[in-house]
Structure formats: C-alpha cells, structure tokens
Amino acid sequence: MSDTVSLSPAPLPVELLRYEAGIHAIDSGYYRPQLDAIHLIVDAGEVAIIDTGTGQSVPRVLEALRLLGVSPSAVRHLLLTHVHLDHAAGAGALMQHLPHARLGVHERGARHIADPSRLWAATIDVYGEAHVARSYGSPVPVDAARIDVLPDGAELSLGRRRIGVLDTPGHARHHLAFVDSASGHVFSGDIFGLSYRELDQAGHPFIIPTSSPSQFDPAEAHRSIDRILALAPDAVYLTHYAQVRGIARLGAMLHRLVDAYVALGERCRHDEGAARQARLHDGMKAVVLAEARSAGLRHADETILSVLGLDIELNAQGLANWIDASLKQR
C-alpha cells in the first residue's frame, strides 16, 4: 500500500459554486458531472472541507482553495460524513497537502482511515483492482494522531462559527451529518437522500433515499431524517448533489420512499437469487417513477431512469442486503 500519491493536473476549469455564509461546493469529478460534491466552508481565513471525493479529486480541491484565495495551510478540518469511497477515498492523499488540518470521522470509520487496506480489499473483491484504481485512486493512510473521533453532539471551531456533529445512521452505521452555526444549514452526506439538478422541476428538487449496500436500516433512516427536519434548516447540502431547499417537502418525500422501499423488500422477501434481484430492481424503478409522477416531474421516464439508473441498481442491491440481514434476526 502506497503512502504517497502522484497528482495529475486538475481538470480545469473547476467551477466553484458559491452559496451564502461562506459555503461553497465543487464537483469531485466522480463518474459524471453533478454526481458527487465536495463542500468547503470559509470563515475568518479558516477552512473546513466536508467529504473529499476520490484520489483523483485532490487536484480539484487544491484548485478550489486557490480560487477562494486561501492556502492549504488554512484548512483546519477535513470532515467525513462516512467512509464510503465516493466520499472518502481521497482523504489520505488530500491530508498530505493540508499541514494544519485535523480529520474528523465517526468512531466506526476511524480505523478505515488510519488503515484503509481492508476497506480497499473489500472493494476490490467486488469491483476488481483495475476498476477500483481507475475510479478511486490508491489507498493512502492518515496518521492516527491527526484523526479526531467525533461523537454525537460534538462541536468544532471554525473562525467565528461552530460546526456541530450529528450521529445519523440509516445509510451507514458510521454516518455523521454536520450543522453550521452561521447559516443553520446541514451537510448531510447520504442520509438526507440523493437529488440531482438535472431533475429539478421549476426550481423544486426531486429526492430519493439511498439504500445502497450494505447497512441500510429503515428505522434508523427515519430517525436521522427527523433529526435533520427538527432543526428546520433553510438548506441542506447533499454529497449527491449540493444545495437543496424546501426541506420539509423533501423530508416528507424521503419518509414516504423509505416506507415504499420497505414494502418492496417485504414483497420480495421470499424470492431467491437472480429472480429476487430482478424483482427488486424492477420494483425500485416503479417506486421511483411513481414518486416522480406524484411530485409533478414532467421528464420522460427514460430521462429519470438515466439520471437515477446507477442509484436504482445500488438501492436494489442494498435492499437485498437488508432483507438478508432482517431474515437472520427473525
């Protein structure tokens, strides 16, 4: 396992999305445009970065810092919502460029940041070494002395503001969300769903929960969504993808769809093998399209399924994992 990473030049130009209260987003460059966001908060010359994308995203982050007029040495916090590779594969490589940063992560994820070999090996087993290297880069460990385990309710200082920590399982048991004191906005990783700008309708976003492998827990997902709704934020920042508003409406949609996922899983509980997976996949497409029509989306079915196709496939796989886990508990 390599301890260093060679960086190619950043794919330029890097578009910097500028929101209020010193909040910014860039595209991580993962797979397709507007799929995977990295967020940066700047306050009084100090910076926090939330999620990192992959190893190939590092030059983009460094370019974003340049565009913001701040040095990598100004970064105080690198915060991970969770350690899935589309969110955290670039953490070790990026930390090499941030001499004063601390990396904050859930207790359950910290060991995978200090020693990513097991996480990488498991991913290679599923996708193959060539795919993993091409998609995520090379694993780079972070010195454990630079890692902060963040418990629920912790607060971090950034310039004149505070960043609060919420333990938000449901997508993954090691999932955190972050609350910005200056704006009241929430950085939700994956627990507040996926919403892509291509499907916005008259300025209103469409959103779906993610049940992707392998720790989907509907009861915990409902509780975590409610924790965010209880804060009544004006905006939430999703890793997939960036700022959304109308949070009460989106939260209600997420709750409905989590319940619809569960109902689909129950219908397929006694199916087996490839037949079950096919039924889950077809059922997930039907659930998403039904909600899209209820939400007033006028996009063609083919467009919706094109934008959400990968997530639908992963959601079906994760729902199969949930069925298997729940059967073992009975």
Side-chain angles (χ1 to χ4, degrees):
M1 182 171 62
S2 172
D3 288 343
T4 61
V5 62
S6 176
L7 297 180
S8 58
L12 299 178
V14 170
E15 182 183 3
L16 191 64
L17 301 177
R18 297 178 184 267
Y19 301 110
E20 60 268 48
I23 298 170
H24 310 80
I26 61 167
D27 193 320
S28 78
Y30 183 64
Y31 277 119
R32 65 168 176 84
Q34 297 189 93
L35 174 68
D36 192 62
I38 298 167
H39 291 97
L40 303 94
I41 308 173
V42 182
D43 192 302
E46 296 186 349
V47 182
I49 300 170
I50 300 176
D51 285 344
T52 70
T54 71
Q56 288 89 342
S57 305
V58 174
R60 289 174 173 259
V61 177
L62 298 177
E63 174 65 7
L65 294 173
R66 188 191 71 79
L67 292 172
L68 288 167
V70 293
S71 164
S73 64
V75 178
R76 296 292 178 260
H77 304 289
L78 179 58
L79 304 176
L80 300 179
T81 60
H82 58 304
V83 301
H84 290 172
L85 294 185
D86 53 330
H87 296 254
L94 184 57
M95 283 291 283
Q96 293 180 333
H97 297 269
L98 310 177
H100 302 308
R102 307 281 304 173
L103 187 146
V105 66
H106 193 285
E107 179 182 18
R108 293 177 182 268
R111 66 183 184 275
H112 296 298
I113 298 300
D115 180 6
S117 58
R118 182 177 174 185
L119 181 63
W120 240 263
T123 308
I124 288 170
D125 285 344
V126 175
Y127 297 108
E129 188 168 3
H131 171 86
V132 171
R134 183 172 62 252
S135 299
Y136 302 111
S138 300
V140 179
V142 176
D143 183 351
R146 299 184 68 192
I147 297 173
D148 293 326
V149 169
L150 300 179
D152 185 61
E155 285 194 334
L156 304 170
S157 175
L158 182 74
R160 296 158 297 201
R161 71 178 79 195
R162 309 286 289 177
I163 300 175
V165 178
L166 298 179
D167 191 351
T168 48
H171 170 66
R173 287 190 289 270
H174 59 278
H175 197 289
L176 300 174
F178 300 101
V179 185
D180 170 39
S181 69
S183 63
H185 297 176
V186 176
F187 298 82
S188 64
D190 281 353
I191 192 56
F192 206 77
L194 317 170
S195 178
Y196 300 119
R197 306 286 61 80
E198 299 100 313
L199 297 182
D200 288 357
Q201 187 78 57
H204 298 296
F206 178 67
I207 201 164
I208 66 170
T210 171
S211 59
S212 62
S214 59
Q215 295 178 347
F216 175 59
D217 184 326
E220 292 285 12
H222 280 306
R223 282 192 284 269
S224 292
I225 292 164
D226 279 336
R227 286 198 77 184
I228 292 172
L229 291 175
L231 298 172
D234 289 333
V236 171
Y237 298 88
L238 318 176
T239 303
H240 312 286
Y241 181 82
Q243 187 192 80
V244 293
R245 292 183 176 272
I247 303 308
R249 181 182 71 89
L250 296 180
M253 195 181 302
L254 290 170
H255 279 311
R256 282 196 302 274
L257 284 169
V258 169
D259 288 340
Y261 290 7
V262 170
L264 172 60
E266 292 292 349
R267 291 196 299 273
C268 299
R269 180 173 294 277
H270 300 295
D271 296 339
E272 295 182 353
R276 182 180 72 177
Q277 200 58 44
R279 192 175 178 203
L280 284 170
H281 188 263
D282 289 345
M284 186 64 67
K285 287 195 291 187
V287 165
V288 169
L289 288 173
E291 185 65 32
R293 297 305 167 219
S294 177
L297 264 67
R298 295 190 295 274
H299 305 285
D301 287 0
E302 293 79 8
T303 299
I304 296 170
L305 295 177
S306 175
V307 173
L308 295 174
L310 175 61
D311 296 304
I312 286 171
E313 180 179 346
L314 292 173
N315 278 357
Q317 292 174 13
L319 205 52
N321 294 146
W322 172 74
I323 292 170
D324 292 338
S326 59
L327 284 173
K328 289 179 182 177
Q329 295 173 358
R330 293 189 175 186

